Amino acid sequence: MYVETINVVKQYANHLALNGVSINVPRGTVFGLLGPNGAGKTTLIRIITRITAPDSGEVLIDGRPSRREDVYNIGYLPEERGLYRKMKVGEHAIYLAQLRGLSKADARRELMVWFQRFDIANWYNRKVEELSKGMQQKVQFISTVIHNPDLLIFDEPFSGFDPVNAEMIKNEMLRLKAEGKTIILSTHNMESVETLCDNIALINRSEVVLQGSVFDIRREH
Ligand code: ADP
Ligand code: ADP
């Protein structure tokens, strides 16, 4: 998926959260949204995912205005994420996969692959609350990508991750990119920008103040 936002404006009651934001995310690349807390990153993500409507401006998917159906082709991991603590891990993951449009049979088949890849297959019938934080994050990651969407959006994906799990998630993102997926992530983690992102936009006070390829920006700054 090729994603563009054009002059997106979003005003909350007394706060202009986005003041004409245009970004350009080529297919099969990783795009980093950087900026301080309150800059507007999550608001932009929520507009791209159609959770929030912009006041003006547009989101284009593959060159045409985004449509309701595009939502099924997006995997979105919000910053505030939680799992129901009393549910069994496998049941929970199947439930989330079904919300994303998979049949139960497909969900089970896909989960088998992902749980093995992430080495958590033994935890399938345990309760969520028995999992470590890192394992819960793996389940959340899996639930974001399980329906094989073309666009993946992660809000602060590395916050709270220990270095080993963060590395694993990073490698998964690179593998998904190699498959042709488009990835947008917001992050404070400069190291992940260097190793993961092709392009970035730096957002400050509701506006893009810098945008370009990590290569060019590193050379010029
Ligand atoms: P970031 O993700 O960069 O931290 P956000 O997009 O979450 O920034 O928030 C941008 C600004 O908009 C912040 O000042 C925040 O307090 C405000 N804001 C976000 N959501 C709402 C909302 N639903 N109502 C009012 N203000 C909001
Ligand atoms: P139910 O069918 O009663 O909802 P569960 O959802 O608990 O049962 O899980 C049973 C299904 O989960 C079986 O189809 C089985 O193939 C699958 N399953 C069992 N263990 C795993 C695992 N480690 N990874 C993925 N799928 C598994």
Side-chain angles (χ1 to χ4, degrees):
M1 260 190 190
Y2 167 41
V3 183
E4 287 165 279
T5 72
I6 299 174
N7 261 317
V8 166
V9 173
K10 180 68 188 182
Q11 170 99 39
Y12 293 118
N14 53 3
H15 179 74
L16 183 59
L18 295 174
N19 186 16
V21 167
S22 302
I23 64 167
N24 202 312
V25 186
R27 180 179 180 278
T29 63
V30 180
F31 191 93
L33 289 175
L34 281 69
N37 279 332
K41 304 182 296 295
T42 301
T43 301
L44 183 62
I45 285 174
R46 290 169 63 90
I47 287 171
I48 295 170
T49 56
R50 296 179 64 96
I51 294 169
T52 302
D55 297 334
S56 62
E58 249 189 324
V59 177
L60 301 186
I61 302 285
D62 295 331
R64 45 144 188 88
S66 76
R67 293 185 291 227
R68 190 185 291 262
E69 311 85 81
D70 291 324
V71 169
Y72 293 100
N73 204 6
I74 299 176
Y76 171 42
L77 185 64
E79 190 177 5
E80 297 83 30
R81 39 195 179 239
L83 298 169
Y84 299 106
R85 299 178 53 77
K86 299 291 175 192
M87 268 178 100
K88 286 186 181 170
V89 177
E91 275 173 355
H92 199 319
I94 286 176
Y95 161 74
L96 291 175
Q98 286 181 303
L99 287 185
R100 290 171 175 117
L102 289 194
S103 70
K104 195 163 186 181
D106 286 346
R108 279 181 181 155
R109 201 191 52 241
E110 289 302 315
L111 279 179
M112 204 84 84
V113 174
W114 279 101
F115 272 52
Q116 270 156 18
R117 183 178 287 153
F118 278 9
D119 206 20
I120 52 175
N122 293 341
W123 293 81
Y124 196 85
N125 282 314
R126 306 288 282 277
K127 282 191 180 160
V128 167
E129 64 189 0
E130 296 177 73
L131 299 189
S132 68
K133 184 130 187 284
M135 285 180 182
Q136 291 189 28
Q137 285 177 311
K138 287 180 184 173
V139 174
Q140 285 156 342
F141 182 88
I142 291 169
S143 301
T144 307
V145 300
I146 185 87
H147 55 308
N148 198 28
D150 287 322
L151 174 62
L152 300 165
I153 304 182
F154 302 100
D155 205 343
E156 293 289 346
F158 306 112
S159 70
F161 258 117
D162 62 74
V164 173
N165 281 319
E167 194 59 31
M168 179 165 195
I169 295 294
K170 235 183 266 175
N171 289 335
E172 281 307 316
M173 288 183 186
L174 288 172
R175 203 181 54 77
L176 289 162
K177 172 181 131 164
E179 283 179 4
K181 309 295 188 194
T182 304
I183 300 177
I184 298 174
L185 55 95
S186 82
T187 185
H188 288 112
N189 180 335
M190 287 311 291
E191 194 263 328
S192 71
V193 171
E194 291 273 328
T195 55
L196 211 52
C197 294
D198 299 292
N199 301 294
I200 60 161
L202 179 58
I203 301 187
N204 194 28
R205 294 171 185 258
S206 320
E207 294 183 357
V208 173
V209 293
L210 181 66
Q211 180 167 199
S213 81
V214 171
F215 181 81
D216 289 341
I217 289 170
R218 203 195 290 128
R219 210 182 39 188
E220 289 162 16
H221 290 266

